[in-house]
Amino acid sequence: QVHLAESGGGLVQSGGSLRLSCAASGSIFSIRAMGWYRQAPGKERELVAAVTSSGTTNYADSVKGRFTISRDNADNVYLQMNSLKPEDTAVYYCKVDDILRQYWGQGTQVTVSS
């Protein structure tokens, strides 16, 4: 019943920017946090950024100062990615946590060329 729709991925040159969007829809009991994860080929999925219901944000060390996560009143979450590097290349997944379970989007590909 719950699904997450991601958009905004694509191909960008090193130093460029992208803005990822995630729209949550369906029956979610109570959202506690929303965030973005990424998984590059041959690597485990890792947290990129997250924002809690109280507004607290956290970022992976590798993206601090370059990425910004935000959330609006319609349960959409965004990831502004600036100064992109080739090592940012990965499939980016939106994640929503409520009190009972977690939900994942299908992923959107971000490719940063050097």
Side-chain angles (χ1 to χ4, degrees):
Q1 295 183 16
V2 174
H3 64 93
L4 309 177
E6 299 133 322
S7 62
L11 175 64
V12 66
Q13 293 181 337
S14 181
S17 298
L18 287 172
R19 182 174 181 264
L20 304 184
S21 300
C22 176
S25 62
S27 181
I28 302 176
F29 181 75
S30 180
I31 295 177
R32 298 293 306 280
M34 304 183 74
W36 292 92
Y37 288 69
R38 68 185 181 188
Q39 187 167 23
K43 300 179 66 177
E44 70 270 14
R45 191 171 298 184
E46 64 175 352
L47 172 70
V48 177
V51 57
T52 69
S53 59
S54 64
T56 301
T57 59
N58 61 291
Y59 297 89
D61 289 340
S62 60
V63 307
K64 287 181 179 177
R66 299 188 298 120
F67 292 9
T68 303
I69 189 169
S70 60
R71 179 183 175 183
D72 65 17
N73 293 328
D75 293 331
N76 299 313
V77 64
Y78 308 92
L79 185 68
Q80 179 66 46
M81 305 185 293
N82 299 325
S83 301
L84 283 162
K85 305 174 181 179
E87 51 263 44
D88 296 317
T89 295
V91 177
Y92 284 70
Y93 298 89
C94 179
K95 181 187 177 185
V96 173
D97 294 328
D98 69 13
I99 194 66
L100 297 177
R101 65 189 74 248
Q102 62 187 31
Y103 307 94
W104 290 90
Q106 77 282 5
T108 183
Q109 177 70 48
V110 172
T111 302
V112 184
S113 64
S114 60

